[in-house]
Amino acid sequence: MKNRLLILIPLLSLFASCSDDITGLNTDTKRPTYTEANYLFTNAEHAMVDQVTSTSVNFNVFRLFAQQWTEVQYPQESQYDLTGRTIPDTHWTTYYRDVLRDFKEAKNILVDQQAGATADELAVINNKIAIIDILTAYSYGVLVDTFGDVPYTEALDIVAFPQPKYDDAQTIYKDLIVKLTAASHALDTDAGSFGNADLIYKGDVSLWAKFANSLRLRMAINMDDVDHAYASTEALAAVADGVISSSAQGTYMTYAETQPNANPLYVDLVASGRYDFLPADTFVNRLNALNDPRRPKYFTEYPAGSGAYKGGVYGALNVYDNFSHLTTTIQDPTYPGVLFTYSEVEFLLAEAVERGIAVGETAEIHYNRAVTASLQDWGVASADIAAYLARTDVAYSAATPWKQKIGEQSWISFFNRGFEAWTNYRRLDYPALQVPAVTYGDITSVPKRYSYPNREQTLNAASLEAAVAKLGNNAVTTKIFWDKN
């Protein structure tokens, strides 16, 4: 009996101590109602880089559109079928839901923190907000460059605007440049920011300013055919504020060794166990003609040990074992995703000079710097770089149109950066890409945009129809506002 009482007493005490307050039972510890701005920022940044890096045909077909890569047994996307896998829907949803929405929520949290912050804390908060504004502008820029007019002023507020209007693409562009300028100027290099929560620059505020200014330069050059005076003013202002000026300042996100934080290319090309992609003959043939020293960095030899390279036929059925393959370099799980490089900045500066914008040196000097930086980034030896630049079909002094010289060499340097390669092609109309023998719906030219998502017809029909009416149609061959030539 005594032993039973000894067991019962502590049990009664436990019930007595717990019965005073049971409100905690209503708290779901597995679904928190509050999060930190840093967590939302990291998640959005990761999703943003994943989307532009992935090669899954469910997410990103830009390497195929740029004809740098082609497919093996399922060539539909190389033949411009965007609807079979609802690719525009995924691209749209990723940016609006997984990237922009998280950036907005992170910014809202930071704005709320401003009221009670000390001067030092406020400087850090303001830097974080500026960085979010920069990446928000980048993300909206990708959407505009992909679709044309998109929801902007009424976006990301489903309560107030359940069916947001589509804003004019050129108006969005100009507003993004204003926001990038303001964010660049607002950054305080004497204060910190996100630290290690920033997967790209680790909170280095000065590098975020250079990225913002480089984006301004890129967007200004995109707009030159539409409004030269505006583009010239903005490009000069961006350069004066300081753009990326070395490869070390490039905008890269290094991935982790293991999934789910490994590079999506590793997931798509290695972990999947699939063999769906090959370097395209369009791309390989041009590099063969130039005896380009980046070939062994980009592709494997075919046949092995022959010193030769052979690309799969673009937009056709291919047998994987009958062609060169993508090298293991880009298949490493830690291989970085890329948003901007020094080489790209120099190509933009060369183009600016040719467009009559006095950004500094001659177009030839900027072009040579751009090509050199790309070759160095891929580990090409100095002697081989000098020999390559001396070739009559590479040298800037060659009697070929400047758009062709810059267009082809930037296309080569954009290997594995499909979106930028496709964007440059649309602006410069070089290289001279041809449609494959078979295309979806008898498309007769390389796509100039994504068609709007099918889901918008159900969720936002009136706004979608207004945007399509303004554009003229929803075809992939219809050019967006800055693509004038």
Side-chain angles (χ1 to χ4, degrees), residues 119-177:
D120 289 343
E121 291 170 341
L122 187 60
V124 173
I125 291 170
N126 289 341
N127 276 347
K128 289 181 176 181
I129 289 173
I131 292 169
I132 288 173
D133 286 345
I134 291 166
L135 290 179
T136 296
Y138 167 83
S139 300
Y140 271 117
V142 170
L143 286 168
V144 170
D145 290 343
T146 306
F147 295 100
D149 292 3
V150 294
Y152 181 63
T153 55
E154 296 181 355
L156 309 178
D157 190 346
I158 196 170
V159 176
F161 303 107
Q163 295 179 309
K165 68 178 181 180
Y166 286 50
D167 291 274
D168 174 71
Q170 185 170 348
T171 304
I172 297 173
Y173 236 59
K174 288 186 174 182
D175 192 59
L176 295 177
I177 290 175

Side-chain angles (χ1 to χ4, degrees), residues 127-248:
N127 276 347
K128 289 181 176 181
I129 289 173
I131 292 169
I132 288 173
D133 286 345
I134 291 166
L135 290 179
T136 296
Y138 167 83
S139 300
Y140 271 117
V142 170
L143 286 168
V144 170
D145 290 343
T146 306
F147 295 100
D149 292 3
V150 294
Y152 181 63
T153 55
E154 296 181 355
L156 309 178
D157 190 346
I158 196 170
V159 176
F161 303 107
Q163 295 179 309
K165 68 178 181 180
Y166 286 50
D167 291 274
D168 174 71
Q170 185 170 348
T171 304
I172 297 173
Y173 236 59
K174 288 186 174 182
D175 192 59
L176 295 177
I177 290 175
V178 169
K179 285 182 166 57
L180 285 168
T181 303
S184 171
H185 293 171
L187 289 167
D188 180 356
T189 56
D190 291 329
S193 63
F194 285 103
N196 286 332
D198 172 10
L199 303 176
I200 295 175
Y201 283 133
K202 303 301 181 185
D204 190 321
V205 174
S206 63
L207 292 180
W208 277 116
K210 289 181 178 292
F211 173 67
N213 299 330
S214 301
L215 278 178
R216 292 162 59 194
L217 173 64
R218 177 198 283 170
M219 296 176 75
I221 297 302
N222 276 349
M223 287 188 64
D224 187 70
D225 286 335
V226 178
D227 188 340
H228 173 70
Y230 172 84
S232 180
T233 298
E234 295 301 328
L236 289 170
V239 172
D241 282 344
V243 295
I244 292 168
S245 57
S246 70
S247 291

Side-chain angles (χ1 to χ4, degrees), residues 274-287:
R274 298 176 62 89
Y275 302 96
D276 291 332
F277 301 102
L278 292 166
D281 58 351
T282 315
F283 193 62
V284 176
N285 290 348
R286 187 57 188 145
L287 270 68

